Amino acid sequence: MARKRIGVGVISLGWMGRLHTRSYKALREKYPELEVDIDLVVCCDLIEENRRVAVENLGFSKAVEDYHEVLNDPEVDIVSICAPNFLHHEIAMATIAAGKPFWIEKPMGISAAQSKDIAEGAARAGLITSVGFNYRHTPAIELGRKLIAEGKLGTITNARVWLIADYASGPEGPLTWRYSKEKAGAGVILDLLGHGEDLVQYLLKDRISAVTAQTGTFITERPIPLKAGIGHTGWEVSEKKGPVGNEDYVSVIGRFESGALLTMESSRVSVGPRAEYIVEIYGTDGSIRWNFEDLNHLQICLGRQNGFQQGYTNAMAGPDFPDFMRFQPGAGTSMGFDDMKVVEAAQFIQGILEQRQIGPSAADGWSAAEVDAAVEASAGDGKWHEVTPVTEHTTFDK
């Protein structure tokens, strides 16, 4: 069978743009059965140094400043959208108009309305999409989802989810677009909590139906940046400060359509946990617990009558976990964050080759955005808010 060529355009070469690029390049080794040759056609970035890196270090044929050049290039078959949040809607809608499948980082926009536009537009155009919900693709999470689907935990009663990080814990950190309501949207709600919302809905194949929430901003001003960095590092700042416009912290109580109960919490300013992203699922016959800081383990308790052995078994990822053997030879040799993005890239490419939605879709991104919107509304008025259901088909409930 002849190998298929897929031409890639990447828009914005920050941390995520570089990670998308590495993920595409890894497919030939990690997923040889796809029989696809990835051609890095063009990268778009406003920063000259990033354009130089794209060509000289990462292997792109060319680099440009205007993303329209990416969309209009006949050699580009698919697009990665890795720009800041406030540009997602504009670029995604232009990509849809160009008729090109896309892999977009979450959140898809700065509001549920923007995410709805993108999801509905992609559906009308019949485009395969992918959204950067990479924690789904951890082998331990996939095993946990299988155990839940098989009924090993009994009837699900409740879930606890928290994503607690310290990347913004220093008040001397730069006032980047992430701290602007206009450019980032609802702060830690969109940045971290959205991952937790998708992760728990994916595990349970159940939709969050209602929430009540509270938020707080604990670092109210930050220094104005003088020089851009990559991701959260490499920035230079001035002595002048500006106001932070969105939330540092959020706590949520919620419920699922099934009637199961939910608690969620996220912070970007913790001092202690570095990236403690934990999900716990409880049922009448057992529970599971996963922590991103120890992502190669799944804690599993099955049954209620195990005597002195009652409690968690700490299951280490190995050859019997989904996708593990593509990356490591055996248990004890750990997978990492970047590997989850390779799985995500593989699902995106496989979906394009087979013309069916496999990985997290724009509808999934819209679903998380509607939960975000309900959380934000509740934090504003202190009331319970129903989550507006999405009308496009999601992949987390398959």
Side-chain angles (χ1 to χ4, degrees):
M1 181 184 297
R3 297 181 66 85
K4 182 174 177 61
R5 172 205 169 272
I6 294 181
V8 171
V10 173
I11 297 175
S12 189
L13 199 67
W15 171 45
M16 271 299 159
R18 297 175 193 220
L19 183 47
H20 277 222
T21 301
R22 294 196 300 273
S23 300
Y24 285 126
K25 293 166 76 171
L27 293 180
R28 188 180 185 97
E29 175 191 355
K30 304 300 184 184
Y31 290 84
E33 73 275 15
L34 292 177
E35 296 187 328
V36 65
D37 292 323
I38 297 295
D39 183 3
L40 299 177
V41 177
V42 56
C43 173
C44 169
D45 199 280
L46 295 176
I47 299 174
E48 182 179 359
E49 173 63 12
N50 288 349
R51 296 196 300 274
R52 183 195 67 78
V53 167
V55 175
E56 295 183 11
N57 296 356
L58 299 180
F60 284 92
S61 297
K62 57 186 175 182
V64 299
E65 291 185 65
D66 186 345
Y67 75 81
H68 293 95
E69 292 186 51
V70 176
L71 303 183
N72 294 332
D73 193 318
E75 294 299 308
V76 172
D77 301 304
I78 64 174
V79 177
S80 274
I81 302 172
C82 304
N85 298 359
F86 63 98
L87 295 173
H88 282 182
H89 180 260
E90 172 189 327
I91 296 173
M93 297 310 291
T95 305
I96 291 167
K100 298 191 176 185
F102 59 92
W103 177 10
I104 186 170
E105 279 305 312
K106 49 65 59 191
M108 291 199 304
I110 61 171
S111 67
Q114 288 191 353
S115 294
K116 178 181 180 181
D117 277 351
I118 294 169
E120 291 183 335
R124 283 194 302 269
L127 297 176
I128 302 300
T129 57
S130 183
V131 179
F133 290 127
N134 45 279
Y135 300 109
R136 279 191 186 193
H137 312 305
T138 312
I141 290 295
E142 293 287 15
L143 177 61
R145 188 174 195 251
K146 181 174 182 290
L147 293 174
I148 294 166
E150 291 174 348
K152 296 294 179 63
L153 273 58
T155 300
I156 301 303
T157 57
N158 63 291
R160 298 175 66 211
V161 182
W162 64 99
L163 294 93
I164 308 295
D166 71 347
Y167 67 81
S169 60
E172 71 284 353
L175 186 69
T176 68
W177 61 266
R178 293 181 183 276
Y179 305 101
S180 164
K181 183 76 168 180
E182 293 73 26
K183 293 184 176 181
V188 76
I189 298 173
L190 270 63
D191 196 17
L192 288 182
L193 191 71
H195 274 299
E197 294 158 357
D198 178 74
L199 189 56
V200 75
Q201 290 185 130
Y202 180 69
L203 279 164
L204 298 183
K205 302 183 182 181
D206 197 2
R207 299 185 183 218
I208 299 170
S209 61
V211 295
T212 184
Q214 60 181 344
T215 61
T217 303
F218 305 140
I219 299 176
T220 58
E221 61 178 13
R222 293 180 177 275
I224 306 251
L226 297 172
K227 178 180 177 295
I230 300 294
H232 299 296
T233 60
W235 296 77
E236 295 180 7
V237 299
S238 69
E239 293 183 0
K240 184 178 179 181
K241 293 186 177 182
V244 170
N246 54 25
E247 304 85 353
D248 289 330
Y249 172 87
V250 58
S251 61
V252 181
I253 298 173
R255 58 178 177 264
F256 293 93
E257 287 184 348
S258 67
L261 302 180
L262 171 68
T263 59
M264 295 188 290
E265 183 181 16
S266 279
S267 173
R268 63 188 181 189
V269 296
S270 64
V271 177
R274 305 304 310 270
E276 191 176 79
Y277 307 160
I278 295 178
V279 57
E280 297 177 345
I281 308 296
Y282 293 90
T284 54
D285 294 319
S287 63
I288 60 170
R289 186 179 194 271
W290 176 79
N291 182 355
F292 171 67
E293 289 188 348
D294 190 18
L295 65 84
N296 288 279
H297 290 85
L298 181 68
Q299 291 183 285
I300 306 169
C301 178
L302 301 181
R304 293 172 282 107
Q305 304 295 328
N306 296 315
F308 69 90
Q309 297 184 80
Q310 185 69 36
Y312 284 114
T313 296
N314 196 22
M316 177 179 283
D320 49 347
F321 280 55
D323 275 310
F324 183 89
M325 286 293 287
R326 295 181 184 275
F327 298 91
Q328 297 296 351
T333 307
S334 298
M335 292 175 64
F337 180 90
D338 286 17
D339 297 328
M340 308 305 105
K341 299 302 280 192
V342 177
V343 178
E344 195 164 275
Q347 291 184 356
F348 180 40
I349 296 299
Q350 184 183 354
I352 291 167
L353 294 174
E354 299 178 6
Q355 278 303 290
R356 63 187 183 95
Q357 187 67 47
I358 298 174
S361 67
D364 297 324
W366 175 19
S367 177
E370 291 292 358
V371 181
D372 291 335
V375 167
E376 189 177 4
S378 175
D381 64 18
K383 299 177 181 179
W384 276 88
H385 279 257
E386 299 293 319
V387 176
T388 300
V390 303
T391 53
E392 300 297 336
H393 179 69
T394 60
T395 64
F396 62 72
D397 56 6
K398 287 198 301 185

